[in-house]
Amino acid sequence: MGIADKAKNAAEDLKGKAKEVVGDVTGNDELKAEGKADQTKSSAKQAGENVKDAFKG
């Protein structure tokens, strides 16, 4: 996994966490769900990259 990919995944995860917190504080369930979805997408990408790295090594 390249450094750029790691940075993108980390940024997407942080963005998702921020959305979730803001959605929770403001009572915006849609924003909260969107934040959770962003985090899930980031985790899936990271897992895929880890699998690729395992086969490269």
Side-chain angles (χ1 to χ4, degrees):
M1 179 193 250
I3 292 175
D5 291 332
K6 286 182 182 181
K8 284 182 190 177
N9 289 337
E12 187 169 24
D13 187 56
L14 287 174
K15 183 175 100 176
K17 286 178 182 177
K19 283 183 181 179
E20 185 179 1
V21 168
V22 170
D24 193 34
V25 169
T26 61
N28 185 336
D29 291 334
E30 187 176 324
L31 185 60
K32 187 175 175 181
E34 189 178 319
K36 286 183 180 184
D38 286 349
Q39 290 176 68
T40 301
K41 186 168 49 169
S42 172
S43 294
K45 286 180 184 177
Q46 186 174 5
E49 291 294 331
N50 288 342
V51 169
K52 283 196 271 185
D53 287 347
F55 283 103
K56 284 182 184 177

